[in-house]
Amino acid sequence: MPALNVEFSDRELEDLRQIAKERGTSMKALVREAAAADIARHRALKEGAAAFRQFFASHADEFAAAFPEDEPSAAARDVGRVG
């Protein structure tokens, strides 16, 4: 399995030791679990954002009708349009 060397300050390293000791686990397992949790959280956020964009796009007309004040004006849509 590939490995990664990670540098910590003395304070961070001591904090990691203390947390690992309190949890009854190794520092390596503690850091790996934290990284795995962050990876899972990142994936979930990306998937959630994609689902929201898809939902919003498929209901754009309904949102426009329900919130007309949030729709860009025709002039604002034309800003930057060429020809």
Side-chain angles (χ1 to χ4, degrees):
M1 177 183 297
L4 173 68
N5 291 327
V6 180
E7 295 181 13
F8 295 98
S9 69
D10 290 340
R11 173 66 191 261
E12 291 167 334
L13 200 56
E14 184 54 40
D15 289 345
L16 284 171
R17 280 190 187 103
Q18 184 62 36
I19 293 167
K21 182 179 177 183
E22 290 171 6
R23 294 185 185 178
T25 190
S26 68
M27 288 176 33
K28 183 177 179 178
L30 179 71
V31 172
R32 185 174 189 309
E33 289 169 13
D38 196 50
I39 291 166
R41 184 173 35 258
H42 180 75
R43 285 180 183 155
L45 287 172
K46 284 178 67 175
E47 291 170 6
F52 174 79
R53 283 191 298 274
Q54 182 180 7
F55 177 83
F56 188 82
S58 66
H59 293 84
D61 293 339
E62 295 166 62
F63 281 110
F67 306 102
E69 67 279 2
D70 291 336
E71 286 297 297
S73 67
R77 285 191 301 265
D78 291 337
V79 170
R81 189 176 289 178
V82 178

